[in-house]
Amino acid sequence: MAREMMFGEAIATAIMEEMQRDSDVVFYGQNMAMTERDPYVKKFGHDRVRLTPISETAELGIAVGAAMMGLRPIVELYMAEFMLVAFDEVVNEAPRLRYMSGGQVKVPCVFKAGFGFAAGWAGQHSNCIYHMIMGIPGLKVAIPSTSADAKGLMKSAIRDNNPVVYLHHYMLSLDKGEVPDGDHLVPFGVADVKRAGTDVTIVATAWMVKKSLAAAELLAKDGISVEVVDPRTLAPLDTKTIIESVKKTGRLVLVDQAPRHASAAIIIAGEVAEHAFPYLKAPVKLVTALDTSVPYSETMERYVLPDEDKIAQAVKSVMAAKTAKA
Amino acid sequence: MAREMMFGEAIATAIMEEMQRDSDVVFYGQNMAMTERDPYVKKFGHDRVRLTPISETAELGIAVGAAMMGLRPIVELYMAEFMLVAFDEVVNEAPRLRYMSGGQVKVPCVFKAGFGFAAGWAGQHSNCIYHMIMGIPGLKVAIPSTSADAKGLMKSAIRDNNPVVYLHHYMLSLDKGEVPDGDHLVPFGVADVKRAGTDVTIVATAWMVKKSLAAAELLAKDGISVEVVDPRTLAPLDTKTIIESVKKTGRLVLVDQAPRHASAAIIIAGEVAEHAFPYLKAPVKLVTALDTSVPYSETMERYVLPDEDKIAQAVKSVMAAKTAKA
Amino acid sequence: MQAPGKDRQVWIYNHMVRIREFEERVKRTFVDHPGVIRGHAHLADGAEASIVGALATRREDDLVVPTYRCHGYPLVLGTSPRGVMAEIYQRRDGICKGFGGSMHLADPAHHFPGASGIVGQSIAHAAGAAYAAQVKKTGQVVYSFFGDGSSKQGAFYETLNLAAVWKLPVVFILENNFYQAYTHISLEDANFAAGDPLSQKAKAFSIPGVTVDGTDPLKVYEAVGTAVERARAGQGPSLIESQFYRLSPHGNAITVPPVPTQFQEHEAIEVYGRKAEFQAAKANDPIPKFRAALIQQGALSDASAKKIEDAAQAEIEDAVQFALASPLPAPEDALKYVWA
Amino acid sequence: MQAPGKDRQVWIYNHMVRIREFEERVKRTFVDHPGVIRGHAHLADGAEASIVGALATRREDDLVVPTYRCHGYPLVLGTSPRGVMAEIYQRRDGICKGFGGSMHLADPAHHFPGASGIVGQSIAHAAGAAYAAQVKKTGQVVYSFFGDGSSKQGAFYETLNLAAVWKLPVVFILENNFYQAYTHISLEDANFAAGDPLSQKAKAFSIPGVTVDGTDPLKVYEAVGTAVERARAGQGPSLIESQFYRLSPHGNAITVPPVPTQFQEHEAIEVYGRKAEFQAAKANDPIPKFRAALIQQGALSDASAKKIEDAAQAEIEDAVQFALASPLPAPEDALKYVWA
Ligand SMILES: Cc1ncc(C[n+]2csc(CCOP(=O)(O)OP(=O)(O)O)c2C)c(N)n1
Ligand SMILES: Cc1ncc(C[n+]2csc(CCOP(=O)(O)OP(=O)(O)O)c2C)c(N)n1
Ligand SMILES: [Mg+2]
Ligand SMILES: [Mg+2]
């Protein structure tokens, strides 16, 4: 059975179901659980559902300590960039404590954060930070693009025995999609082909999947068949599915909302350069944000960020570069 | 005129000279300037040279505020990972405030930090964090590998009108090299060919330059001519020089002390995949740390990190992959 | 610091009225011109007495470092409301040329180096500006404004300790409006929960800590003035807790475009259903209160008050029209100002 | 909490002696077996009365979360010195199998979840463990140990506020040894610089704050015991400032391999040239002091004291030999334990 849900609703459903299933799951963060009317508080009480002050270091550190003692905390962070004031906990505590203890402890916790607020939130709230954390051994990163994946990845994140940063894109919050009922689990490290195609592979995550699918639609009218691959988790990264797709199409465009050297796209391009080089008929092409912070004004913000047209143009350019090899 | 100096000494010399030259340069951090005997205190007094508590957020934030008001603060951070407790200042304040103000302010400051303590410092002190910051628009990253570059890049960093993260490798601290006297400035964004060669290009930074040069020496005995390119700054990144070298050699090995997806190497590989694809005779090859945290024991630490042998082997493998193109 | 004379009190009233008028027009923009303001905008209505009372103690080159809730201060510092409104409206003639928006105003020419949208960080920036003043011996004092919620962020504590050890010329003004976004302070501050004032946090740094009625500009003036004198004399920072009520909700509702955004009801009502609390705050509005006081002591007549109010209305209406008429930035402008 | 009986006092003395012996052997290792200990090792000599006095108040399932200076605590909790020494010696039989080393010990089976090398972070981890105890209603109390220097890190303040608001069962023990690495506390703590105790920081969170002589295990026992009872009763955290002197320098000197590393002179002498301060601290060594007190009150005879000391020596000698004999980890083991 499945039901149509908004992206944000799908995440909430996953948390609700997992809290119901496992009493070790706790959920806290700023500006939540303020009153008895809060749906989580109503169902699970104030021990398991709590409000925190604006103290990200304490919030994340408490999650780490609680996880070591057997809870499975989910920390609501609203905006991924707020993790930066507490980044040591994300990068240097949660993923390292198990290793440093020689496997004696585990740190199962979920840091849930919105990102990519491309709606006038300007320089400090609109960025993408996944490139910073997708290579930290011991840390997983989930980044859904559909309601179904949003639910399934959140459930997997909560059940995972490792720390997980779960990133949900603000601009997708109200998007609707079919979501399987009940125990719908999306495994980590398994990319999803969101659209099959034969001429060019696009790899994209989150909002950029939506934009890439729109571009693919445009390109189909020009007779170009685009395959859109969504890794769904950046750590672990399903390089295999990406390479399989490149083997088939021979062409690769990577789309990312972040600037070039702060993108997942360029990291994936590096993987492809090492492991799929023989299959490429043309150089890979990156479509990323320009190398600026995100400006406030809509005219400039649009100019900086990737969109359907820029993606479509990039696809056409790799199609044109037929025999680019030396 | 030039004189032999240890790497650490070269950095200190640069700071001394710049403080002498420009009274707006101030220098502070933990566990420094403790007594009147401190050489910086002696020369420049306690206004310009200060000790701080273990308060990285305040330390970096004060640098940002002071820089906005016309000082040029250098913050001594000892270990790059200590920036993580204050990462918002590095990523989301220092490089963004100018942009958000529409160019009204500038934020000239230097965050000076050792890194890569591959000497039993274990999981939380031995890492490389440059991959996190080399793509942040508005932020520069210097990473010298020789005494001369250490001095020249520090001087450029101090004179730069943008925030700079200056990373010096712990394992190089005592290495000696010729350093030009006086106003020796190494420009940002200009890679240096540390060894010329014709068969394979190696791109590496900091300690890995030393190891790559050692590997090149070994390989020369086998008749393989290796070119070693040191970007010297990761932001801006001199992609041009790297591509020129790849054009010449047709083969590229990227060496990095960090794990794969947390490396500068893979980002550079991505650039090459887009811009130097036609010149490659073989897939690029990455030599990075294994995907673990850094373990304490020497046996395991060595196993995890890149070394001369691993580099040499990688070079041989790209030499073997002669006609890998499809 | 000497109490402000009658003229200065009228000056204070004038700026309070200007800020209120400005914020009300910003709020109305969401209704009158949907889409013109993007992202998140935070208003200062309710804070006027605290802002202007504090800034009335300034020497003309003293610096001001507020948070993302930063429309009010520049209006007192001499920034044209045109430039501020145009910035909030994403225009090329905005003081930040459309790069910053409501949360990230800056006007260094008028002693406002810039605002950060990340809670707590501006407190450290303020201390940095104070360090620059100390090293350069300019005699400037820095006014650091931040919220009650921000005082739970590590940056706050670290900075106050360091400022105390270095005896920096900075005054920390904790604007306690009893809410951090949707959260009432009783749920998140240990001092408040125990019935203690937030100014007690000063004890952790052995600096003076004072709590003051932030709806009375003269009380704020006195407390901040004392702290400023101390700071200027090289005796280091103080912490002033200024208590007042934010009369609008935290900011415009957070929605995903193209869903339109507007201001909802105040959280006291919207979240907690506490109408009486909100009504009491409205009844204690600092502006009519100060107006009445000035009239009572003869500093102001009804007519002169009306003149001030009319002038403010005209000035801000002009700012709105200016901002609406200003062009949007050229897309390619986005590439400017990344590097200095 | 009731004062400890004579047997318990002897128990305290025994553990104090064991810790001292252990740390002295670690220190000697740098001379006897250069290269066997890598990275940075931090000793607890001088802290024994504080550590054991505090831990003597434990219920057997209470948790302990120290910092990177963490050799002493597990020895009291029941961890074998063999495993601790072997870990410091990078061996396969170390409690962390050679993955963690001196700064990152962990023995969850003995109620020590693990240590962090990053200043301040473990304070939040301790609160997290306390949150788990609170949710699971285990009745456990968490002992959070950290240094005077750490109390300047944002994590400290944020955590104490949150722990107070949530009334977490945790006791915060600020080990004030007057130095953070090479820095004397007078240069970096605003309370100390003003002549106030560091326990005054508790006022920022409206929780009890007590300063105690950390060279007297019974005084520590009393203060911590009271705080533990309060925490267990659901009344929330307390801050105990335990003052004692670290008798060794911060850690082994930081050198780049292959330059050998050793312990230098204490910073009081090395950096500040304050010999008298260091001599006074030596004269106030908690171990002979407590030994004399126990003998004076008849809890201990010279002979029984000697027996304790000999036993400790033998036990730690055994640990050294065990550790030296243990093999180094296989290189490929490094790939284990990345993922759970
Ligand atoms: C580090 C960080 N965490 C969370 C936020 C989200 N946030 C923005 S404003 C705000 C409330 C701040 O409240 P307060 O400090 O009381 O100031 P007020 O808005 O009441 O003036 C929060 C939580 C943020 N910007 N930065
Ligand atoms: C965030 C951070 N900054 C700096 C350091 C380096 N460091 C390690 S121990 C230490 C001193 C800590 O002093 P204190 O808290 O007094 O504890 P003690 O060593 O005296 O027991 C410092 C500065 C660190 N580990 N983490
Ligand atoms: Mg507030
Ligand atoms: Mg100490």
Side-chain angles (χ1 to χ4, degrees):
Chain A
M1 285 282 289
R3 158 167 108 72
E4 189 159 82
M5 269 185 209
M6 284 189 293
F7 189 78
E9 202 187 341
I11 301 172
T13 305
I15 296 174
M16 277 281 185
E17 288 180 12
E18 291 302 301
M19 291 191 75
Q20 192 88 52
R21 198 186 57 80
D22 181 349
S23 63
D24 285 337
V25 181
V26 298
F27 185 30
Y28 62 76
Q30 296 162 30
N31 291 299
M32 59 175 276
M34 290 167 295
T35 68
E36 303 307 317
R37 295 196 321 277
D38 177 276
Y40 296 97
V41 171
K42 256 194 199 157
K43 250 192 153 144
F44 307 111
H46 277 297
D47 264 357
R48 292 178 60 198
V49 186
R50 289 200 181 171
L51 175 139
T52 56
I54 316 176
S55 302
E56 283 83 1
T57 303
E59 294 170 60
L60 298 183
I62 285 173
V64 168
M68 287 167 85
M69 297 316 299
L71 292 186
R72 293 183 172 275
I74 308 166
V75 185
E76 172 61 73
L77 283 145
Y78 294 97
M79 292 181 157
E81 282 141 316
F82 301 160
M83 278 192 278
L84 295 173
V85 297
F87 218 47
D88 180 74
E89 289 292 340
V90 181
V91 169
N92 225 5
E93 309 292 334
R96 310 247 188 243
L97 284 163
R98 170 180 176 72
Y99 190 77
M100 297 195 305
S101 78
Q104 293 180 90
V105 295
K106 48 184 200 217
V107 187
C109 51
V110 180
F111 301 158
K112 169 186 180 295
F115 78 102
F117 285 63
W121 287 76
Q124 298 180 304
H125 292 78
S126 314
N127 297 294
C128 306
I129 63 160
Y130 36 73
H131 77 285
M132 297 184 182
I133 49 177
M134 63 182 279
I136 309 297
L139 187 66
K140 297 189 177 178
V141 181
I143 182 165
S145 69
T146 66
S147 295
D149 289 349
K151 178 178 173 186
L153 288 172
M154 178 51 91
K155 285 187 152 247
S156 294
I158 295 170
R159 296 188 195 184
D160 203 291
N161 282 329
N162 301 285
V164 177
V165 176
Y166 180 98
L167 296 168
H168 48 99
H169 202 290
Y170 171 66
M171 301 296 277
L172 297 174
S173 312
L174 307 181
D175 280 17
K176 283 183 180 161
E178 284 288 304
V179 178
D181 282 344
D183 260 11
H184 165 62
L185 293 166
V186 172
F188 277 33
V190 180
D192 190 39
V193 177
K194 292 290 186 222
R195 177 190 174 110
T198 50
D199 294 330
V200 180
T201 300
I202 293 181
V203 175
T205 54
W207 195 36
M208 292 300 123
V209 173
K210 188 175 168 184
K211 297 217 173 279
S212 298
L213 289 170
E217 210 53 55
L218 291 176
L219 289 159
K221 289 178 194 142
D222 293 334
I224 302 174
S225 167
V226 173
E227 176 145 310
V228 179
V229 180
D230 172 5
R232 298 199 291 194
T233 59
L234 287 171
L237 179 70
D238 182 2
T239 318
K240 195 162 152 280
T241 299
I242 294 167
I243 290 173
E244 286 306 316
S245 178
V246 170
K247 272 191 193 173
K248 186 170 68 170
T249 62
R251 294 184 174 84
L252 177 61
V253 170
L254 301 122
V255 185
D256 203 305
Q257 193 178 334
R260 276 185 86 79
H261 293 181
S263 69
I266 202 161
I267 293 173
I268 298 170
E271 279 291 350
V272 167
E274 180 159 357
H275 294 121
F277 177 77
Y279 314 112
L280 283 172
K281 297 180 201 152
V284 307
K285 180 112 194 136
L286 267 66
V287 184
T288 66
L290 302 184
D291 281 321
T292 73
S293 291
V294 181
Y296 170 60
S297 292
E298 194 167 10
T299 48
M300 295 194 290
E301 187 194 80
R302 277 221 198 112
Y303 181 76
V304 164
L305 298 181
D307 60 24
E308 288 88 321
D309 287 342
K310 294 178 194 174
I311 299 168
Q313 223 177 310
V315 168
K316 284 179 187 168
S317 85
V318 300
M319 285 301 290
K322 261 177 225 120
T323 48
K325 283 198 192 186
Chain B
M1 285 278 291
R3 156 169 108 74
E4 189 159 82
M5 270 186 209
M6 284 190 293
F7 189 78
E9 203 186 340
I11 301 172
T13 304
I15 296 174
M16 277 283 186
E17 288 180 10
E18 291 303 301
M19 291 190 75
Q20 191 89 52
R21 198 186 57 80
D22 181 351
S23 63
D24 285 337
V25 180
V26 297
F27 185 30
Y28 62 76
Q30 296 163 31
N31 290 300
M32 59 176 276
M34 290 167 297
T35 67
E36 303 307 318
R37 295 195 321 277
D38 178 275
Y40 297 95
V41 171
K42 256 193 198 156
K43 252 196 154 140
F44 307 111
H46 276 298
D47 263 357
R48 293 178 59 198
V49 185
R50 288 200 182 172
L51 175 138
T52 56
I54 317 176
S55 301
E56 283 82 0
T57 303
E59 295 170 60
L60 298 184
I62 284 174
V64 169
M68 287 167 84
M69 296 316 299
L71 293 184
R72 294 184 171 274
I74 308 165
V75 186
E76 172 62 74
L77 283 145
Y78 294 97
M79 292 180 156
E81 281 141 315
F82 301 159
M83 278 190 278
L84 295 172
V85 298
F87 218 47
D88 180 73
E89 289 291 341
V90 181
V91 168
N92 225 5
E93 309 292 335
R96 310 247 188 243
L97 284 164
R98 170 180 176 71
Y99 190 78
M100 297 193 306
S101 77
Q104 294 181 88
V105 296
K106 47 185 200 216
V107 187
C109 51
V110 180
F111 301 160
K112 167 185 181 295
F115 77 102
F117 286 63
W121 287 76
Q124 297 180 305
H125 292 78
S126 315
N127 296 294
C128 306
I129 65 160
Y130 37 73
H131 77 284
M132 298 184 180
I133 48 176
M134 63 183 277
I136 308 296
L139 187 65
K140 297 189 177 178
V141 181
I143 182 165
S145 70
T146 66
S147 295
D149 289 350
K151 178 178 173 187
L153 288 172
M154 179 52 92
K155 284 185 151 256
S156 295
I158 294 170
R159 296 188 194 184
D160 203 290
N161 281 329
N162 300 284
V164 177
V165 176
Y166 181 99
L167 296 168
H168 49 100
H169 201 291
Y170 171 67
M171 301 296 276
L172 297 175
S173 313
L174 307 181
D175 282 17
K176 283 183 181 162
E178 284 290 304
V179 178
D181 281 344
D183 260 12
H184 166 62
L185 294 166
V186 172
F188 277 33
V190 180
D192 189 41
V193 177
K194 292 292 187 217
R195 179 190 174 110
T198 51
D199 294 331
V200 180
T201 300
I202 292 181
V203 175
T205 55
W207 197 36
M208 292 299 124
V209 173
K210 186 175 170 182
K211 296 215 175 280
S212 298
L213 289 171
E217 210 52 56
L218 292 176
L219 290 159
K221 288 177 196 142
D222 293 335
I224 302 175
S225 167
V226 173
E227 176 145 311
V228 178
V229 180
D230 173 5
R232 300 199 292 193
T233 59
L234 287 171
L237 179 69
D238 181 3
T239 319
K240 195 162 153 280
T241 299
I242 295 166
I243 291 174
E244 285 307 316
S245 178
V246 170
K247 273 190 191 173
K248 185 170 69 174
T249 63
R251 295 184 173 84
L252 177 62
V253 170
L254 301 121
V255 185
D256 204 305
Q257 193 179 333
R260 276 185 85 78
H261 293 181
S263 69
I266 201 161
I267 293 172
I268 298 169
E271 279 290 350
V272 167
E274 180 160 354
H275 293 122
F277 176 77
Y279 315 110
L280 283 172
K281 298 180 199 150
V284 308
K285 180 114 195 135
L286 267 65
V287 184
T288 67
L290 302 183
D291 281 323
T292 72
S293 292
V294 180
Y296 170 60
S297 291
E298 193 166 10
T299 48
M300 295 194 290
E301 187 194 82
R302 276 221 197 111
Y303 181 76
V304 164
L305 297 181
D307 61 23
E308 287 87 321
D309 288 343
K310 293 178 193 174
I311 299 168
Q313 225 177 308
V315 168
K316 284 179 186 165
S317 85
V318 299
M319 285 301 290
K322 262 180 228 120
T323 48
K325 282 201 193 183
Chain C
M1 196 167 274
Q2 232 189 310
K6 283 192 183 172
D7 281 2
R8 191 67 170 166
Q9 293 193 32
V10 172
W11 180 94
I12 291 175
Y13 179 68
N14 179 33
H15 281 302
M16 289 171 63
V17 169
R18 290 174 72 239
I19 296 176
R20 176 66 56 91
E21 183 64 24
F22 188 92
E23 297 296 49
E24 287 187 343
R25 289 310 299 266
V26 171
K27 199 170 185 174
R28 251 178 58 197
T29 304
F30 287 88
V31 183
D32 293 351
H33 309 287
V36 157
I37 303 177
R38 313 180 73 214
H40 214 194
H42 309 79
L43 308 182
D45 47 334
E48 296 90 347
S50 182
I51 292 173
V52 188
L55 294 185
T57 64
R58 276 180 74 238
R59 201 175 83 177
E60 75 184 324
D61 61 344
D62 285 342
L63 296 161
V64 177
V65 182
T67 67
Y68 51 87
R69 190 182 297 283
C70 54
H71 304 168
Y73 314 89
L75 300 183
V76 186
L77 296 175
T79 309
S80 158
R82 286 180 161 200
V84 180
M85 196 65 86
E87 184 60 34
I88 299 170
Y89 284 14
Q90 344 173 29
R91 306 299 162 135
R92 199 182 293 187
D93 299 308
I95 40 171
C96 301
K97 307 185 187 72
F99 284 70
S102 164
M103 288 196 284
H104 307 117
L105 300 178
D107 187 2
H110 288 96
H111 306 102
F112 170 15
S116 169
I118 304 301
V119 159
Q121 307 307 306
S122 62
I123 306 173
H125 303 164
Y131 174 46
Q134 190 181 57
V135 172
K136 290 171 173 274
K137 304 197 190 337
T138 62
Q140 289 164 299
V141 168
V142 181
Y143 292 63
S144 169
F145 294 90
F146 52 89
D148 48 293
S150 312
S151 74
K152 259 64 67 185
Q153 182 69 211
F156 164 76
Y157 302 93
E158 291 189 2
T159 302
L160 266 69
N161 177 69
L162 224 167
V165 171
W166 285 7
K167 294 207 185 307
L168 294 179
V170 52
V171 177
F172 296 109
I173 300 158
L174 189 165
E175 304 181 321
N176 184 359
N177 58 15
F178 305 102
Y179 285 86
Q180 84 79 343
Y182 321 128
T183 300
H184 189 261
I185 189 171
S186 58
L187 302 172
E188 57 110 37
D189 186 278
N191 288 141
F192 192 95
D196 293 326
L198 271 68
S199 57
Q200 188 170 305
K201 298 184 201 301
K203 296 242 187 259
F205 321 105
S206 296
I207 60 172
V210 178
T211 296
V212 71
D213 175 0
T215 67
D216 181 341
L218 303 182
K219 296 225 172 94
V220 176
Y221 182 96
E222 193 193 336
V224 172
T226 305
V228 166
E229 279 177 346
R230 189 183 148 85
R232 200 164 340 256
Q235 295 173 289
S238 308
L239 176 64
I240 314 290
E241 177 194 6
S242 173
Q243 299 187 331
F244 57 83
Y245 204 88
R246 145 161 85 54
L247 294 172
S248 286
H250 174 58
N252 50 305
I254 299 179
T255 54
V256 178
V259 180
T261 174
Q262 277 196 22
F263 275 78
Q264 297 173 286
E265 289 242 61
H266 190 281
E267 294 78 11
I269 298 168
E270 185 76 23
V271 179
Y272 302 92
R274 295 202 284 248
K275 282 192 192 155
E277 175 190 304
F278 184 69
Q279 284 317 327
K282 276 281 204 197
N284 194 33
D285 186 332
I287 292 184
K289 229 174 46 168
F290 193 47
R291 187 187 204 270
L294 289 179
I295 286 175
Q296 203 197 330
Q297 60 170 111
L300 206 62
S301 66
D302 262 319
S304 52
K306 178 84 169 47
K307 219 159 138 188
I308 285 174
E309 292 144 18
D310 289 348
Q313 220 171 327
E315 184 192 18
I316 307 303
E317 173 62 25
D318 166 74
V320 168
Q321 295 311 327
F322 172 85
L324 288 173
S326 171
L328 292 169
E332 317 79 54
D333 282 357
L335 298 178
K336 291 180 178 171
Y337 313 125
V338 176
W339 303 105
Chain D
M1 193 168 275
Q2 236 188 307
K6 284 191 179 171
D7 282 2
R8 192 64 172 169
Q9 294 194 30
V10 172
W11 180 93
I12 289 174
Y13 180 68
N14 179 35
H15 281 302
M16 288 171 62
V17 169
R18 290 175 71 240
I19 295 175
R20 174 66 56 91
E21 183 64 24
F22 188 92
E23 297 296 50
E24 288 189 340
R25 289 312 298 267
V26 171
K27 200 170 183 173
R28 251 178 58 197
T29 304
F30 287 87
V31 182
D32 293 351
H33 309 286
V36 157
I37 303 177
R38 312 181 74 217
H40 214 193
H42 309 79
L43 307 182
D45 46 335
E48 296 90 347
S50 181
I51 292 173
V52 189
L55 294 185
T57 64
R58 275 179 75 240
R59 201 175 83 176
E60 74 184 325
D61 60 345
D62 285 342
L63 297 160
V64 176
V65 182
T67 67
Y68 51 86
R69 191 181 296 283
C70 55
H71 304 168
Y73 315 89
L75 300 182
V76 186
L77 296 175
T79 308
S80 159
R82 287 180 158 198
V84 180
M85 196 66 86
E87 184 60 34
I88 298 169
Y89 285 14
Q90 348 170 26
R91 307 300 163 134
R92 198 181 294 188
D93 298 307
I95 40 170
C96 301
K97 307 186 186 75
F99 283 70
S102 164
M103 288 196 282
H104 307 117
L105 300 178
D107 188 1
H110 289 95
H111 305 101
F112 171 14
S116 169
I118 305 301
V119 160
Q121 307 307 305
S122 63
I123 306 173
H125 303 164
Y131 174 47
Q134 190 182 57
V135 172
K136 290 171 173 276
K137 305 198 189 333
T138 63
Q140 289 164 299
V141 168
V142 181
Y143 292 62
S144 169
F145 294 91
F146 52 89
D148 48 295
S150 313
S151 74
K152 258 64 66 183
Q153 182 68 212
F156 164 76
Y157 302 93
E158 291 189 4
T159 303
L160 265 70
N161 178 68
L162 224 166
V165 171
W166 285 8
K167 293 205 184 309
L168 294 179
V170 53
V171 177
F172 296 109
I173 300 158
L174 189 165
E175 304 181 322
N176 184 0
N177 59 15
F178 305 101
Y179 285 86
Q180 86 77 344
Y182 321 129
T183 299
H184 189 262
I185 189 172
S186 57
L187 302 173
E188 57 111 35
D189 185 277
N191 287 141
F192 191 94
D196 293 325
L198 271 69
S199 58
Q200 187 170 305
K201 297 183 201 302
K203 297 247 187 255
F205 321 104
S206 296
I207 61 172
V210 178
T211 296
V212 70
D213 175 0
T215 69
D216 181 341
L218 303 183
K219 296 228 173 90
V220 176
Y221 182 96
E222 195 193 333
V224 172
T226 305
V228 166
E229 279 178 346
R230 188 183 149 86
R232 206 171 327 267
Q235 295 173 285
S238 307
L239 176 64
I240 315 290
E241 177 195 6
S242 174
Q243 299 186 330
F244 56 83
Y245 203 89
R246 144 160 86 54
L247 295 172
S248 287
H250 175 59
N252 50 303
I254 299 179
T255 54
V256 178
V259 181
T261 175
Q262 276 196 24
F263 275 78
Q264 298 174 285
E265 288 240 65
H266 191 282
E267 293 78 10
I269 298 168
E270 185 77 23
V271 180
Y272 302 91
R274 295 201 283 249
K275 283 193 190 154
E277 174 190 305
F278 185 68
Q279 284 317 325
K282 277 280 202 198
N284 194 33
D285 186 332
I287 292 185
K289 226 172 52 166
F290 193 47
R291 186 186 204 272
L294 289 178
I295 286 174
Q296 202 199 331
Q297 64 171 107
L300 205 62
S301 65
D302 262 320
S304 51
K306 178 86 171 48
K307 221 159 136 188
I308 284 174
E309 291 143 18
D310 289 348
Q313 218 170 330
E315 185 192 19
I316 306 305
E317 173 63 25
D318 166 75
V320 168
Q321 294 311 326
F322 172 85
L324 288 173
S326 172
L328 292 169
E332 318 77 57
D333 282 357
L335 299 177
K336 291 180 178 171
Y337 312 125
V338 177
W339 303 107

